[in-house]
Amino acid sequence: MSIYQTLIRSLRCSSLLPPSSFAATGRSFSRRFSSAEEAASEETEAEAEAETETETEDEEAEETPSQPPPVRSYGFSSAEEAAAERRRRKRRLRIEPPLHALGRGPSAPRPRPDPNAPRLPDSTSALVGNRLNLHNRVQSLIRSGDLYAASAIARQAVFSNTRPTVFTCNAVIASMYRAGRHNDVANLFRFFFNQCNIIPNIVSYNNLINAYCDAGCVDVALDVYGYILSNSPFSPSPITYRHLTKGLVDSDRISEATDLLREMLNKGHGADSLVYNNLILGFLELGNLDRALEFLNELRERCIVYDGVVHATFMDWYFKNGREKEAMESYQDLLDRQFKMTPATCNVLLEVLLKYGKSLEAETLFDDMLNSHKPPNTHAVNSDTYSIMVNECFKLGKILEAMAVFRRTGTKQGSKPFAMDAACFNNIMGKLCENGLVSDAEKLFGEMSTKSVMQEFTTFKIFIEVYLKEDRVDDAIQMFKKMLFETSLRPGMGFCDKVFDELIKNGRLEEASDIIGRMGEKNVKPDPTSYEVVIMGLKEAGRLDRIRDLLDQMVKNNIAFTPTLRSFLDEAFGK
């Protein structure tokens, strides 16, 4: 078949299709285009409906609980279903916002603090980093007895980038109070908290109140108490009332102390045993036993467990007035209650028993304390407990027994030995040196290192003084150098002056000048008076070259010249 005939046949076959097939095909295409247009128009209408029916849908959302969203497929069977799905998604976003909208982003602005809110004192979380290092340095100076340097460092730190915390300020103020320097307590409080704008806490106010009460300025202390009530964001503590009631009782104002006790109870504070004890002691000293017993009964009603110091107060008063029977009955009444007393309470009872010759009862109480010592759950003894018993043995001349008491531990199952601290070692070593047993004290000094007990300034001071007293100058120099150059301890003010003076008197001028020169090269800077002692000694020996070196060192370390040194400088080097 030719190509021409094939083309004609194909055209004839296509011409056999009816016209209705072309119409059907056109209608199918037109239906597809029209359905697409309808879907687009319905989508536009659906969005409009979603915007106009917002309030209705919100009400429906409040009435009907939210349901989990249906699983979304990749296609919809109709445009109505697609529009309905969009409406559901918008409705759900209005009811439940996305999770990222609930959290605060790191770059979101923080709410600004209320400028009218009262400022609060530092918390313990502020005592970190450089501020903690400053606090530890100040505490080390306090323990070494150099209160002047501790105060100076804390005051200078106020003007640096490392401002002291309220805890550092309180430590310096409390050390001044313990030293009896009440004026310095008030001046430092004014400097830190009024001038330098550090916020005090209740401990700061308690130190100030205690200093004023001990100095006899009870009215000023009451003014401080009133300031706490009206201006501070915290309330007074029971310790505040202890200091105030004691000050009022000591000033023969016991009626005001009683009113203050009632005020403490009305403000919701608990019945503090030591506050009651102050009033009981005041009435006992006035001879009003009945009134004192009334307060004791009131304390028993308000407090199931109370401090045994109250019983020690009654015992001491009974013993003084020759009523030994009542004293021991009060003591037995306390034991029958089987309170778990703190070491401080038991120590007061020990002192009263030993004071009036009740050695057997004191020994029994001491043994019970040792047997009850089960750290970390129960602490029944402390270093003061051992010191009280050791001192009593030395008082009676029983030195060997004192050493046995120092080594004594509990015998009851579960009891643990007390970990001696430096204060306990210092006490017994000082007593041994006073009784001429320096070799035994030196053995205990070596034992401190083996038991990891930190040696304090008092430890070295005991031996340096006894060595100088016994003309053991070489041993004194060795111990003095060990304290200065092998430890981080700082000698107390005036102690170095005394040592340098003794060395010069014993003909050890070279050692004295060498030690003070090495001190100037380290962080432990000597006091101007120490330089004055050594330079005056060098002056008598004609050692102007060595004097010039020490003067250059003073200038380098910014150490002020005393008036004596300045006049000597003008006289010796004026030409």
Side-chain angles (χ1 to χ4, degrees):
M1 184 181 296
S2 64
I3 298 174
Y4 176 76
Q5 292 177 345
T6 305
L7 289 172
I8 293 299
R9 185 177 296 176
S10 60
L11 290 174
R12 287 177 180 175
C13 292
S14 61
S15 63
L16 293 176
L17 291 174
S20 60
S21 62
F22 290 101
T25 304
R27 282 195 299 270
S28 64
F29 281 105
S30 63
R31 188 182 300 115
R32 292 178 186 176
F33 285 115
S34 62
S35 62
E37 293 175 357
E38 291 175 1
S41 62
E42 289 179 358
E43 181 178 352
T44 305
E45 293 175 359
E47 293 177 354
E49 291 176 0
E51 294 177 356
T52 56
E53 297 177 358
T54 301
E55 296 180 358
T56 305
E57 291 171 355
D58 289 341
E59 295 176 356
E60 294 177 357
E62 294 177 356
E63 295 176 358
T64 59
S66 60
Q67 298 179 355
V71 180
R72 179 183 177 185
S73 60
Y74 288 98
F76 300 98
S77 60
S78 65
E80 292 82 357
E81 184 179 350
E85 175 62 21
R86 282 192 294 273
R87 288 195 298 271
R88 274 193 296 268
R89 289 179 60 192
K90 291 182 179 180
R91 186 188 310 119
R92 188 166 185 82
L93 287 176
R94 287 195 299 270
I95 298 173
E96 297 180 6
L99 294 178
H100 65 80
L102 298 176
R104 181 185 297 274
S107 60
R110 300 286 178 180
R112 301 184 66 179
D114 185 8
N116 298 323
R119 294 178 59 196
L120 299 177
D122 295 325
S123 63
T124 53
S125 60
L127 204 60
V128 294
N130 292 332
R131 304 181 84 181
L132 178 60
N133 296 335
L134 172 66
H135 182 77
N136 292 335
R137 183 183 179 190
V138 170
Q139 288 281 37
S140 177
L141 292 171
I142 292 173
R143 286 191 294 268
S144 66
D146 196 352
L147 303 185
Y148 176 80
S151 173
I153 290 176
R155 285 184 281 111
Q156 291 171 3
V158 171
F159 306 103
S160 67
N161 294 330
T162 307
R163 284 172 60 87
T165 62
V166 65
F167 309 104
T168 307
C169 301
N170 290 342
V172 176
I173 293 174
S175 66
M176 295 296 180
Y177 167 76
R178 291 191 297 268
R181 298 164 60 174
H182 300 140
N183 289 332
D184 290 335
V185 171
N187 293 333
L188 286 173
F189 185 94
R190 191 179 303 109
F191 172 78
F192 286 126
F193 305 125
N194 294 346
Q195 298 178 8
C196 299
N197 207 23
I198 298 174
I199 306 302
N201 56 17
I202 190 59
V203 178
S204 311
Y205 287 109
N206 288 341
N207 288 329
L208 183 63
I209 290 174
N210 204 6
Y212 279 133
C213 289
D214 286 0
C217 304
V218 184
D219 291 327
V220 182
L222 290 173
D223 291 340
V224 176
Y225 168 71
Y227 180 85
I228 297 174
L229 294 177
S230 58
N231 297 286
S232 297
F234 42 79
S235 302
S237 67
I239 298 177
T240 310
Y241 294 100
R242 293 178 194 176
H243 298 329
L244 289 173
T245 52
K246 184 178 182 302
L248 290 171
V249 170
D250 293 341
S251 301
D252 297 330
R253 299 163 63 177
I254 196 168
S255 60
E256 297 182 43
T258 305
D259 295 339
L260 194 62
L261 170 64
R262 300 305 175 199
E263 183 177 344
M264 178 188 75
L265 298 176
N266 293 333
K267 289 184 178 298
H269 293 282
D272 188 76
S273 300
L274 297 181
V275 175
Y276 274 90
N277 183 67
N278 291 333
L279 292 170
I280 290 172
L281 179 60
F283 283 111
L284 288 175
E285 290 179 349
L286 294 174
N288 194 344
L289 179 61
D290 295 335
R291 190 76 170 121
L293 290 174
E294 288 180 9
F295 278 100
L296 177 61
N297 294 330
E298 180 182 337
L299 178 61
R300 286 174 175 173
E301 294 175 358
R302 292 180 175 272
C303 188
I304 299 176
V305 179
Y306 54 92
D307 204 309
V309 174
V310 179
H311 283 268
T313 301
F314 276 99
M315 290 170 58
D316 185 66
W317 188 82
Y318 284 136
F319 277 123
K320 284 182 179 179
N321 291 272
R323 303 169 64 173
E324 181 177 339
K325 181 180 178 181
E326 288 88 342
M328 296 310 297
E329 286 177 354
S330 178
Y331 177 64
Q332 189 61 42
D333 176 66
L334 177 63
L335 296 182
D336 293 340
R337 296 178 181 272
Q338 297 181 351
F339 292 150
K340 288 185 177 180
M341 295 180 288
T342 62
T345 298
C346 294
N347 292 343
V348 176
L349 294 171
L350 282 175
E351 290 177 341
V352 174
L353 292 172
L354 293 173
K355 180 180 179 181
Y356 295 100
K358 299 297 180 180
S359 301
L360 181 60
E361 289 80 0
E363 286 286 338
T364 304
L365 178 60
F366 181 56
D367 289 334
D368 292 340
M369 295 171 66
L370 293 177
N371 292 330
S372 302
H373 188 67
K374 301 175 182 178
N377 298 325
T378 304
H379 294 269
V381 296
N382 56 18
S383 59
D384 291 336
T385 309
Y386 278 92
S387 298
I388 291 170
M389 300 302 295
V390 166
N391 293 345
E392 181 65 19
C393 293
F394 277 104
K395 180 181 177 182
L396 300 175
K398 301 177 180 179
I399 299 177
L400 295 179
E401 187 174 343
M403 295 296 295
V405 168
F406 182 76
R407 305 290 185 186
R408 190 184 300 180
T409 59
T411 58
K412 188 177 180 180
Q413 185 178 4
S415 63
K416 297 181 180 179
F418 174 71
M420 297 289 180
D421 56 4
C424 199
F425 273 95
N426 293 340
N427 178 72
I428 191 170
M429 287 188 300
K431 294 295 182 182
L432 289 172
C433 291
E434 290 176 4
N435 288 271
L437 301 175
V438 182
S439 59
D440 294 335
E442 290 173 340
K443 292 178 182 179
L444 291 176
F445 179 80
E447 186 178 329
M448 294 178 69
S449 301
T450 59
K451 292 188 175 181
S452 301
V453 179
M454 184 177 295
Q455 297 163 344
E456 298 178 345
F457 164 69
T458 307
T459 310
F460 291 94
K461 180 181 178 182
I462 291 171
F463 287 98
I464 293 173
E465 289 180 346
V466 73
Y467 288 153
L468 292 174
K469 183 178 179 181
E470 296 183 354
D471 294 330
R472 298 171 56 179
V473 183
D474 292 333
D475 294 332
I477 292 175
Q478 183 179 359
M479 187 67 69
F480 191 47
K481 288 181 177 179
K482 183 176 182 179
M483 178 186 66
L484 294 175
F485 308 127
E486 297 181 15
T487 67
S488 59
L489 298 175
R490 183 183 177 94
M493 186 176 182
F495 178 72
C496 289
D497 304 351
K498 180 180 178 181
V499 174
F500 287 132
D501 186 55
E502 291 293 331
L503 292 180
I504 293 172
K505 288 180 180 179
N506 286 274
R508 299 300 185 92
L509 183 59
E510 290 295 330
E511 288 87 344
S513 61
D514 179 66
I515 291 173
I516 197 171
R518 292 179 60 186
M519 288 175 65
E521 297 172 358
K522 293 191 63 177
N523 293 329
V524 184
K525 300 297 185 293
D527 295 326
T529 53
S530 298
Y531 278 105
E532 179 183 333
V533 171
V534 177
I535 289 176
M536 291 298 104
L538 293 171
K539 172 190 174 183
E540 298 296 331
R543 294 289 308 277
L544 296 181
D545 54 342
R546 183 57 179 161
I547 291 175
R548 180 177 178 179
D549 295 337
L550 294 180
L551 293 175
D552 290 340
Q553 190 178 86
M554 292 181 67
V555 174
K556 179 181 178 181
N557 295 328
N558 295 324
I559 298 177
F561 289 83
T562 63
T564 304
L565 279 180
R566 189 171 296 278
S567 61
F568 165 73
L569 182 63
D570 296 336
E571 177 184 351
F573 297 96
K575 298 181 181 180

